[in-house]
């Protein structure tokens, strides 16, 4: 375990701070239309890539800097400090936070060489095709099938809640390729080109009015066997690697962003509410700030210890619960003013959007199951001790 920052870390932090201060977009990310959001996200991604900040931890041969995860964390901290566009709510979240890391861990050299630089340059948005109607928490229940015909797989079925599907070039797609197989067996993870004939994407409007997620239908879609990651029939194993990134390292920037938002809320509350000190609301704000600090400390600890993947579920669970609590707290701070959507667009919108936090990437109940079974060693669900 390493404690504290090295001289190199300090130098890196200063370099990152200087670049971010000079380079972040002056205008805020639009949040009314998907097309404008995508254009904003692509432009910001390309600006980072062109200046050599495409990714801190990815290998240099794909356009990253090849530095340890602790430096990536510094990058997230400095981004939040500078008020840079959020690392979490943007079109490249799936590509950067779990598709890319999974390809680095599990894909062939050809797949890596093709896809990773495209992600970093901002040329390819990714989405995730795991959940189906009837198979969300119970991912092993998926039914979308792939029939292997020569060097092609013919895919038929449906996915749901597919974030960014409307704009994605590629998808992390989990399908059942072994006829008659059950549960975790006979699944395959394939990189699905979203422009293939037979794919139909239908947006779903969420509670905040956005259409980030969609239903995706596959009608005999032919994809090459060469787009399989990890081998035919090994999809469950690859999906578990992916989920360990989605529930672990992908939560790190969200934790840092959440802490920043809570600080901003406290600054606003101090200015707007003279009787804050000693009030119940003041105490709730102080508690939220303390929880955010504890969460960040947990992130540092996980990185320093290079912990087991299941431990990422601690972060995911605490983060989801804190994020929702902070948004509700903001509504109490703003009071009726929150209805003035021109003046206070961000918090009311986040309040609605943050309902997702305890559902996406595995619900809070599922994270508790993982912590119980895989970290604490409690008996598996449905099994006696
Ligand atoms: C904003 C958002 C974005 C998403 N993006 C994507 C995406 O891009 N790609 C994708 O594939 N999916 C995505 N999802 C889907 C998400 O992964 C699922 O919604 C989630 O896994 C829950 O599945 P479900 O909705 O089918 O609920 P269910 O699994 O039906 O769960 C219903 C309730 O039962 C509880 N429950 C279920 N099983 C257990 C158990 N064993 N023990 C205790 N409680 C249990 C759950 O906690 C929940 O409260 C997204 C979801 C949201 C909200």
């Amino acid at each position: 375990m390493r404690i504290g920052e090295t001289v190199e870390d300090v130098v890196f932090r200063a370099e990152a701070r200087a670049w971010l201060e000079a380079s972040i977009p002056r205008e805020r990310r639009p949040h009314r239309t998907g097309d404008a959001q995508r254009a904003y996200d692509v432009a910001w991604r390309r600006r980072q890539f062109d200046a050599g900040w495409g990714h801190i931890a990815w290998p240099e041969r794909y356009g990253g800097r090849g530095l340890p995860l602790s430096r990536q964390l510094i990058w997230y901290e400095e981004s939040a400090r500078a008020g840079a566009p959020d690392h979490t709510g943007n079109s490249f979240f799936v590509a950067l936070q779990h598709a890319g890391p999974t390809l680095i861990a599990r894909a062939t050299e050809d797949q890596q060489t093709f896809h990773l630089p495209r992600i970093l340059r901002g040329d390819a948005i990714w989405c995730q095709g795991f959940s189906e109607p009837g198979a969300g928490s119970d991912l092993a229940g998926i039914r979308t099938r792939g029939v292997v015909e020569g060097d092609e797989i013919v895919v038929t079925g449906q996915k749901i809640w597919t974030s960014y599907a409307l704009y994605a070039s590629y998808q992390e797609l989990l399908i059942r390729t072994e006829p008659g197989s059950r549960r975790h067996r006979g699944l395959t993870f394939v990189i699905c080109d979203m422009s293939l004939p037979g794919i139909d994407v239908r947006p779903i409007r969420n509670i905040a009015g956005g259409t980030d997620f969609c239903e995706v239908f596959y009608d005999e879609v032919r994809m090459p066997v060469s787009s399989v990651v990890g081998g035919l029939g090994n999809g469950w194993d690859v999906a578990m690697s992916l989920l360990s990134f989605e529930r672990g390292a992908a939560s790190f920037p969200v934790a840092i962003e959440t802490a920043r938002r809570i600080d901003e809320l406290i600054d606003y509350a101090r200015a707007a509410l003279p009787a804050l000190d000693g009030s119940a609301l003041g105490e709730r704000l102080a508690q939220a700030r303390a929880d955010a600090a504890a969460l960040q400390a947990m992130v540092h600890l996980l990185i320093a210890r290079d912990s087991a993947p299941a431990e990422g579920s601690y972060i995911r669970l605490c983060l989801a619960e804190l994020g929702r609590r902070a948004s509700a707290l903001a509504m109490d701070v703003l009071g009726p003013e929150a209805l003035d959507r021109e003046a206070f667009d961000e918090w009311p919108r986040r309040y609605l959007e943050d309902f997702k936090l305890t559902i996406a990437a595995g619900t809070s109940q599922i994270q508790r199951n993982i912590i119980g079974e895989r970290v604490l060693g409690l008996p598996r669900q449905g099994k006696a001790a």
Side-chain angles (χ1 to χ4, degrees):
M1 187 197 289
R2 189 174 59 74
I3 297 172
E5 287 191 358
T6 62
V7 174
E8 290 79 13
D9 289 339
V10 173
V11 170
F12 176 83
R13 188 183 285 284
E15 198 193 336
R17 185 172 296 185
W19 187 80
L20 284 162
E21 279 174 1
S23 312
I24 59 168
R26 295 299 148 210
E27 65 288 1
R28 291 178 61 189
R29 184 179 191 256
H31 40 71
R32 298 252 186 249
T33 71
D35 286 336
Q37 287 176 337
R38 187 176 53 141
Y40 182 94
D41 294 343
V42 167
W44 173 230
R45 176 105 294 277
R46 207 155 285 165
R47 192 182 300 175
Q48 292 170 88
F49 179 82
D50 288 346
W53 298 98
H55 203 283
I56 310 306
W58 287 14
E60 285 175 87
R61 64 185 180 283
Y62 305 130
R65 290 199 170 201
L67 295 171
L69 206 48
S70 52
R71 298 275 170 82
Q72 183 69 42
L73 198 59
I74 294 175
W75 175 250
Y76 293 145
E77 287 169 353
E78 289 304 319
S79 298
R81 182 183 179 279
D86 197 331
H87 282 283
T88 60
N90 78 71
S91 322
F92 290 95
F93 184 77
V94 171
L96 289 168
Q97 300 297 342
H98 43 95
T102 305
L103 296 181
I104 290 169
R106 308 299 297 262
T108 63
E109 180 67 36
D110 281 355
Q111 290 167 332
Q112 293 174 346
T113 307
F114 181 84
H115 287 290
L116 295 172
R118 281 177 171 72
I119 292 175
L120 293 192
R121 272 201 309 267
D123 295 342
I125 291 170
W126 280 61
C127 63
Q128 180 189 56
F130 279 17
S131 304
E132 298 181 5
S137 302
D138 183 21
L139 184 59
I142 64 157
R143 291 172 12 171
T144 295
R145 71 171 191 280
V147 179
V148 180
E149 288 183 5
D151 57 4
E152 287 185 324
I153 309 179
V154 185
V155 176
T156 303
Q158 183 197 345
K159 297 290 174 180
I160 194 165
W161 316 125
T162 315
S163 305
Y164 314 115
L166 212 48
Y167 300 110
S169 305
Y170 297 99
Q171 183 182 49
E172 311 159 335
L173 178 61
L174 194 61
I175 52 176
R176 191 167 291 285
T177 45
E178 200 178 301
S181 63
R182 299 198 63 242
R183 309 297 300 159
H184 316 90
R185 295 175 202 281
L187 302 180
T188 293
F189 182 107
V190 62
I191 301 169
C192 171
D193 177 342
M194 293 296 283
S195 66
L196 288 172
I199 297 180
D200 181 16
V201 178
R202 300 182 197 164
I204 303 172
R205 189 165 289 279
N206 69 24
I207 192 176
T211 49
D212 280 351
F213 54 31
C214 306
E215 290 177 288
V216 183
F217 296 86
Y218 311 79
D219 182 9
E220 301 200 344
V221 180
R222 294 186 165 269
M223 42 194 85
V225 170
S226 59
S227 54
V228 168
V229 177
L232 279 167
N234 293 327
W236 184 256
D237 201 32
V238 180
M240 289 305 103
S241 295
L242 185 147
L243 288 178
S244 73
F245 293 120
E246 186 177 3
R247 291 168 179 166
S251 297
F252 299 168
V254 195
I256 289 163
E257 285 292 335
T258 303
R260 180 186 66 83
R261 285 198 289 131
I262 290 171
D263 281 345
E264 275 178 14
L265 181 64
I266 291 175
D267 288 347
Y268 172 81
R270 275 188 189 288
L273 308 173
L276 190 65
D277 283 349
S279 70
L281 192 58
E283 264 183 47
R284 286 168 62 207
L285 286 165
Q287 184 64 51
R289 177 178 267 171
D291 290 346
L295 188 60
Q296 285 180 286
M298 282 163 68
V299 167
H300 280 278
L301 190 65
L302 276 194
I303 289 181
R305 283 208 310 225
D306 201 9
S307 295
E311 293 188 12
S313 285
Y314 284 144
I315 306 282
R316 180 72 214 172
L317 176 63
C318 296
L319 173 65
E321 302 288 334
L322 176 61
R324 276 191 63 173
R325 199 150 40 87
S327 292
L329 191 48
M331 293 300 95
D332 291 342
V333 168
L334 297 179
E337 301 287 319
L339 295 173
D340 181 353
R341 297 296 297 268
E342 288 307 314
F344 295 104
D345 197 57
E346 189 174 342
W347 276 108
R349 184 174 45 83
R350 280 197 180 273
Y351 172 69
L352 294 175
E353 285 181 351
D354 282 353
F355 281 93
K356 72 182 175 194
L357 286 173
T358 51
I359 305 171
T363 66
S364 287
Q365 288 83 0
I366 295 301
Q367 307 301 347
R368 287 189 178 95
N369 285 350
I370 294 170
I371 294 166
E373 292 168 8
R374 296 189 217 157
V375 182
L376 303 176
L378 299 175
R380 289 185 69 79
Q381 225 188 1
K383 291 200 176 155

